[in-house]
């Protein structure tokens, strides 16, 4: 392959990028995409006109193929990346072959909008996460390994990476040095990764760049969930310590709950964290709630600052009650009619029963991880040459 590289470490979108393989979609792939899109439309109540040419034609005419393409393009305008994220990470029956079909569809597009780029970015990480072995170590997920895993999508990739892609490793190193989810979310690290993708421009579509960004997203999601689970375990340990001291409620206004939130309820919320997170993933609200909940527990233990907020004791923030109820519901569909928890949440226990299980920890599963993180607190510029 003829590699297009910037002369320096800063990507230059003015240089033409050699695209990933543009493979025409065969009729079976088009019909597979139609079934996926139809299910997406039903789940998110998206207006989708019928396309009899796809539904009925086994031996399509050129006109049927053209109409099918128009239907798919029309659905692409309605289906956003957050629809794909929630659908594919919760109730979706889409297998790896279905993800390959979707990726071939988006990579074949000649009009490359930000939405198309973000969908490709998410789908590549989602696909690699599904095909990669659970026991894969971070150090083993190098460019060669990821490129091999993506061969059904990208074919064989020249592994000579442009210098500017090295900045992704520096962002990963910064993420690995974080000690809490709060530090990761508000330290400008996620913003650095997002800006790397945006500033790559057309060079994002270089096969080697697609491999590098897939590896970056896959390893970032691992860092993210290790920190997230560490926060949850810290909260559970803190709640147990408070219970042993006879404390039954704590002030959680900073986490958008009440000033006298029952500890048993907070434990239920932590146990149903998957529902709480995925139900509102695009807004990132559950992530902030988790970070602030850990701060509230630490404050109750005398390890942090006093809770913030001017509301009266016992008063819940606007729109908090439904969100708190949804989080505590666990396995029920009230958190989101479109979310199916991986495991049913346990019924509420007595205080003594909860304390007896205080040592239970959350374990990381490959299927649990999201691919992108939308939260950042600043507008830090991406600096490929800067030290982390």
């Amino acid at each position: 392959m003829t590699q297009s590289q910037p002369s320096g470490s800063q990507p230059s979108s003015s240089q033409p990028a050699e695209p990933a393989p543009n493979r025409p979609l065969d009729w079976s792939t088009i019909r597979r995409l139609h079934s996926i899109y139809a299910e997406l439309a039903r789940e998110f109540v998206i207006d989708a006109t019928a396309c009899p040419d796809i539904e009925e034609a086994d031996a399509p005419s050129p006109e049927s193929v053209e109409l099918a393409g128009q239907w798919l393009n029309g659905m692409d305008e309605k289906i956003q990346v957050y629809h794909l994220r929630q659908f594919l990470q919760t109730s979706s029956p889409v297998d790896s072959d279905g993800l390959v079909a979707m990726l071939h569809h988006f990579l074949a597009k000649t009009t490359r909008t930000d939405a198309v780029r973000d969908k490709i970015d998410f789908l590549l990480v989602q696909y690699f996460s599904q095909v990669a072995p659970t026991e894969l170590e971070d150090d083993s997920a190098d460019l060669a390994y990821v490129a091999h895993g993506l061969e059904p999508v990208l074919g064989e990739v020249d592994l000579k990476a442009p210098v500017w892609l090295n900045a992704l490793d520096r962002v990963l190193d910064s993420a690995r040095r974080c000690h809490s989810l709060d530090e990761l979310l508000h330290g400008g690290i996620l913003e650095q990764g997002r800006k790397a993708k945006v500033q790559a421009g057309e060079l994002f579509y270089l096969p080697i760049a697609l491999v590098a960004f897939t590896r970056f997203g896959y390893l970032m999601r691992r860092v993210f969930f290790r920190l997230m689970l560490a926060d949850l375990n810290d909260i559970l340990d803190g709640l147990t310590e408070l219970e042993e001291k006879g404390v039954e409620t704590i002030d959680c206004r900073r986490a958008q709950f009440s000033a006298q939130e029952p500890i048993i309820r907070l434990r239920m919320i932590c146990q149903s964290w998957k529902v709480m997170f995925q139900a509102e993933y695009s807004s990132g609200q559950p992530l902030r709630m988790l970070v602030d909940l850990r701060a509230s527990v630490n404050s109750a233990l005398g390890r942090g600052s006093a809770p913030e907020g001017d509301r009266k004791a016992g008063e819940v923030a606007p729109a908090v009650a439904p969100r708190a109820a949804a989080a505590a519901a666990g396995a029920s569909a009230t958190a989101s009619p479109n979310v199916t928890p991986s495991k049913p949440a346990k019924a509420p226990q007595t205080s003594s029963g909860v304390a007896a299980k205080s040592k239970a920890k959350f374990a990381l599963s490959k299927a649990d991880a999201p691919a992108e993180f939308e939260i950042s607190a600043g507008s830090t510029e991406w600096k490929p040459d800067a030290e982390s």
Side-chain angles (χ1 to χ4, degrees):
M1 140 180 142
T2 302
Q3 183 76 27
S4 175
Q5 296 187 39
S7 56
S9 59
Q10 179 73 30
S12 173
S13 58
S14 62
Q15 293 183 302
E18 180 179 339
N22 186 336
R23 302 173 180 177
L25 301 181
D26 57 34
W27 190 246
S28 63
T29 300
I30 290 175
R31 298 193 73 170
R32 179 191 289 268
L33 290 173
H34 174 266
S35 64
I36 294 173
Y37 278 19
E39 182 63 28
L40 260 164
R42 283 192 294 270
E43 182 155 333
F44 295 100
V45 196
I46 296 173
D47 181 27
T49 58
C51 186
D53 294 86
I54 301 180
E55 297 167 358
E56 301 172 3
D58 291 324
S61 64
E63 291 79 10
S64 295
V65 173
E66 182 178 354
L67 289 173
Q70 293 174 2
W71 186 87
L72 290 174
N73 289 333
M75 290 299 295
D76 288 336
E77 295 295 322
K78 300 176 181 179
I79 297 173
Q80 305 302 315
V81 67
Y82 65 84
H83 291 135
L84 295 178
R85 184 182 299 119
Q86 181 168 317
F87 180 69
L88 294 174
Q89 292 177 345
T90 54
S91 58
S92 165
V94 179
D95 58 13
S96 58
D97 290 338
L99 291 175
V100 171
M102 296 177 74
L103 280 162
H104 285 167
H105 168 59
F106 285 111
L107 286 169
K109 288 183 175 292
T110 56
T111 302
R112 294 167 171 175
T113 62
D114 289 350
V116 170
R117 179 202 62 216
D118 290 344
K119 289 175 183 178
I120 291 172
D121 186 47
F122 165 73
L123 290 170
L124 282 171
V125 178
Q126 185 69 17
Y127 172 77
F128 182 77
S129 298
Q130 288 190 198
V131 301
T134 305
E135 64 276 8
L136 178 65
E137 297 291 337
D138 286 4
D139 291 342
S140 299
D142 56 14
L143 283 177
Y145 190 96
V146 176
H148 179 73
L150 296 181
E151 278 187 5
V153 179
L154 304 177
E156 188 174 351
V157 176
D158 184 345
L159 295 178
K160 186 178 181 182
V163 175
W164 58 270
L165 285 173
N166 293 340
L168 296 179
D169 283 331
R170 291 195 287 273
V171 178
L172 278 171
D173 289 341
S174 295
R176 288 169 176 149
R177 288 197 293 269
C178 292
H179 297 95
S180 68
L181 190 61
D182 185 24
E183 188 177 348
L184 177 68
L185 296 181
H186 302 114
I189 296 171
L190 301 182
E191 185 73 5
Q192 289 273 320
R194 187 189 68 81
K195 285 186 177 294
K197 181 174 63 175
V198 172
Q199 294 185 8
E202 284 296 303
L203 295 180
F204 172 83
Y205 298 94
L206 282 170
I208 185 58
L210 292 173
V211 170
F213 278 103
T214 301
R215 175 179 176 270
F216 173 78
Y218 174 76
L219 294 177
M220 279 294 292
R221 81 161 51 177
R222 283 193 159 197
V223 170
F224 178 88
F225 262 88
R226 279 194 284 265
L227 293 173
M228 186 177 186
L229 296 173
D231 274 13
L232 283 165
N233 288 330
D234 184 80
I235 292 171
L236 289 172
D237 289 343
L239 294 176
T240 298
E241 187 176 342
L242 289 168
E243 286 175 325
E244 292 173 348
K245 295 178 178 180
V247 177
E248 296 182 354
T249 65
I250 61 174
D251 187 341
C252 290
R253 285 175 290 174
R254 71 165 69 183
Q256 300 189 45
F257 294 104
S258 73
Q260 298 179 10
E261 194 68 34
I263 286 180
I264 188 172
R265 179 181 177 84
L266 294 175
R267 190 178 295 278
M268 289 174 58
I269 290 172
C270 289
Q271 289 171 339
S272 59
W273 69 275
K274 284 185 182 179
V275 174
M276 180 177 70
F277 175 73
Q278 292 176 342
E280 301 182 55
Y281 177 75
S282 61
S283 70
Q285 185 63 30
L287 300 183
R288 287 188 287 269
M289 291 171 66
L290 175 60
V291 169
D292 290 337
L293 181 55
R294 179 177 180 179
S296 296
V297 172
N298 286 338
S299 176
L301 289 166
R303 299 172 183 166
S305 58
E308 299 175 356
D310 298 325
R311 290 182 295 276
K312 298 178 182 179
E315 181 180 349
V316 182
V320 167
R323 185 179 294 121
S332 74
T334 56
S336 170
N338 303 316
V339 175
T340 302
S342 298
K343 295 182 181 179
K346 296 181 180 179
Q349 301 175 344
T350 62
S351 177
S352 60
V354 171
K357 295 182 180 294
S358 62
K359 298 302 181 183
K361 300 291 184 180
F362 290 89
L364 175 60
S365 169
K366 177 180 68 174
D368 296 337
E372 289 188 353
F373 317 106
E374 303 291 344
I375 300 177
S376 64
S379 57
T380 309
E381 288 297 326
W382 179 53
K383 300 176 182 179
D385 298 321
E387 291 298 328
S388 299

